[in-house]
Structures are given as structure tokens and as C-alpha cells.
Amino acid sequence: MKADFMTNSFPPQEKKFESERINMVTVQILDRGITDTAVLRSMRKVPRHLFIPKEYQKLAYDDGPLPIGYGQTISQPYIVAYMTEAVKPMSDNIALEVGTGSGYQAAILAEIVKEVYSVEIVPELAKESAERLSKLGYKNVTIRFGDGYKGWKEHSPFDVIMVTAAAEQIPQPLIEQLAENGRLVIPIGAPEEVQELILLEKKNGRIEKHRLTFVRFVPFKRL
Ligand code: SAH
């Protein structure tokens, strides 16, 4: 009895993170209206604290973005869930992410879709996130260093495209690399200002544009 009590009163750190994560999904994501069960399942599963520098790990399941070095941030969990639901990811889909950062959004997608390709413009982040995802056992994510403005033509067309840095306008190559019935989400607006999250859908070769909500992202850069 005593031993059990002792174990329960000093739960391993991982258990604590797991219960914080389950709680995060309920309070920050489910209660705010995200209903896609695949998105909820993925957000409950991916260990967000392992995508965050040690000094901020205890804040991993808080309701906000966090620094990941090189002046970049991992997005607020709700925004990750909201954007992922917006692109309606399906199990047979091929996805492109522009702005790998920590690799967290790529992992969230990788739990749902068939294949994820992600481009990152900061070489150190591209390397670190590729190592992180491979250590975590993700075999369906490929990361490369480069300017995501050009997309990743060799693996196109993409059913899903997610841009996680704020651009002044939608890069034309990304529109071209979007599959028929594909969905693209991107924050549009001036850097350092509030931006608008835009959803594009390609239907019969035509682009439909939907304005979703207001967000604040780090700026889209060019090489
Ligand atoms: N999705 C990330 C967070 C994104 S922060 C995560 O889950 O952690 C935005 C990222 O976009 C930064 O890492 C930044 O370096 C990258 N970025 C900015 N402009 C880019 C470009 N043109 N191509 C690729 N990555 C870019």
C-alpha cells in the first residue's frame, strides 16, 4: 500500500505531462469548438513538451505560443488545432507544410495524413526538427531546409498545404501545387501586425477563398 501511495504521489514527469495534455485538449480545444475527431486524437497524442526548449517545457501545455530559438515560436495549441481542422486532413492525403519550426505541426499532421513534407528556412531548425521527428518514430515526415515560397514541386500536388508564417500575399507556386479539391491555409498580412487566416480551396481548377479569423504569426522570410 505504502509503495503504491509513494508511486502515485511522485508520478513520473511523463505522466504529469500526459494529464496536462489531455486537459489542454478539453479546455483549450474541445470546449472552444474543435470537433474533428482525428485532430483531437492527434493533439492528445503528440508530446508537445518534447518540441520545446528545456527551459520552457513546464509551460508546454499552457494556452499560448512559446519561443523555440532563432527568433521563432511554436504556435498556440488552439491555433494548431484550428488550422489543422480547417484543411480537413484525411488519411490518404499528402500534405505540405511551410515553416517547420519545432516540427510540432508536422507531427500533428503526420498522425492524420499519409505523408507530410515540410520546408524550413532556418537551417538549424530544419536539422533539429528532422532529428526530433525521427527520434519520435515518425516515418512519414520529410523535412528540408529551403525557402517554402517555392513549395516542393517534386512531391506535388498536395491535398493539404499549411503555411505557418505570415506572408504579404499567397505564394503563386503553392496555389499551383495544390491538388484538385485541395485545401490551403495561410496567415496573410503585414509582419508585426494582426493577420488574417485565409483558406483556399481548389474546385474544378478554380480557387475559392474563405476568410477565417485573425491571428498573429512570425513573418514569412525569403532566402
Ligand atoms: N509550424 C511550426 C511553427 C512555425 S513558426 C511549429 O509547429 O513549431 C514559423 C516558421 O516558419 C519559423 O520556423 C520560420 O523560420 C519559418 N519560415 C519563415 N519563412 C519561411 C519560408 N519562406 N520558408 C520556410 N520556412 C519559413
Side-chain angles (χ1 to χ4, degrees):
M1 271 317 277
K2 200 172 179 204
D4 275 347
F5 173 78
M6 293 288 286
T7 328
N8 291 340
S9 41
F10 300 101
Q13 198 68 348
E14 287 306 307
K15 277 274 169 229
K16 181 170 162 281
F17 281 132
E18 189 184 0
S19 71
E20 286 184 7
R21 185 162 65 248
I22 302 300
N23 187 56
M24 167 195 89
V25 174
T26 306
V27 176
Q28 300 173 31
I29 295 172
L30 191 62
D31 289 357
R32 288 183 190 152
I34 303 296
T35 56
D36 186 318
T37 51
V39 174
L40 294 167
R41 194 183 317 123
S42 178
M43 298 285 305
R44 285 194 188 101
K45 184 171 173 196
V46 178
R48 191 173 199 264
H49 61 284
L50 298 181
F51 293 77
I52 288 166
K54 271 258 168 328
E55 65 264 41
Y56 299 113
Q57 255 181 17
K58 56 179 182 304
L59 306 176
Y61 299 102
D62 284 7
D63 195 8
L66 287 169
I68 53 169
Y70 313 96
Q72 306 305 324
T73 55
I74 180 172
S75 308
Q76 179 191 10
Y78 173 69
I79 290 296
V80 173
Y82 182 91
M83 287 175 73
T84 311
E85 181 175 70
V87 291
K88 303 179 203 67
M90 284 177 270
S91 58
D92 60 350
N93 283 177
I94 309 293
L96 172 72
E97 179 193 24
V98 176
T100 319
S102 67
Y104 179 70
Q105 173 72 70
I108 291 291
L109 270 175
E111 293 285 348
I112 306 172
V113 305
K114 188 170 166 208
E115 212 67 56
V116 179
Y117 297 93
S118 187
V119 187
E120 170 56 52
I121 205 164
V122 175
E124 294 88 346
L125 284 173
K127 184 165 175 280
E128 286 169 21
S129 57
E131 282 168 5
R132 176 175 295 125
L133 289 170
S134 119
K135 226 157 108 187
L136 289 170
Y138 289 98
K139 298 197 191 326
N140 60 339
V141 185
T142 312
I143 293 168
R144 80 169 168 86
F145 154 72
D147 182 354
Y149 183 91
K150 300 189 206 102
W152 198 333
K153 200 158 190 289
E154 301 89 305
H155 298 291
S156 68
F158 300 103
D159 307 295
V160 161
I161 300 181
M162 298 185 76
V163 182
T164 63
E168 304 256 359
Q169 42 202 308
I170 304 163
Q172 190 58 32
L174 299 185
I175 297 177
E176 284 158 18
Q177 291 172 28
L178 193 61
E180 178 61 25
N181 294 317
R183 293 80 59 200
L184 180 159
V185 73
I186 181 169
I188 292 291
E192 321 302 336
E193 279 177 32
V194 168
Q195 303 118 17
E196 195 161 28
L197 197 62
I198 303 290
L199 176 71
L200 296 188
E201 296 190 71
K202 201 181 258 188
K203 289 190 179 154
N204 301 316
R206 292 181 135 192
I207 296 294
E208 278 181 15
K209 187 170 162 183
H210 314 268
R211 303 165 65 172
L212 299 181
T213 187
F214 293 97
V215 287
R216 198 181 274 269
F217 273 82
V218 297
F220 195 89
K221 299 189 291 188
R222 300 300 314 274
L223 276 183

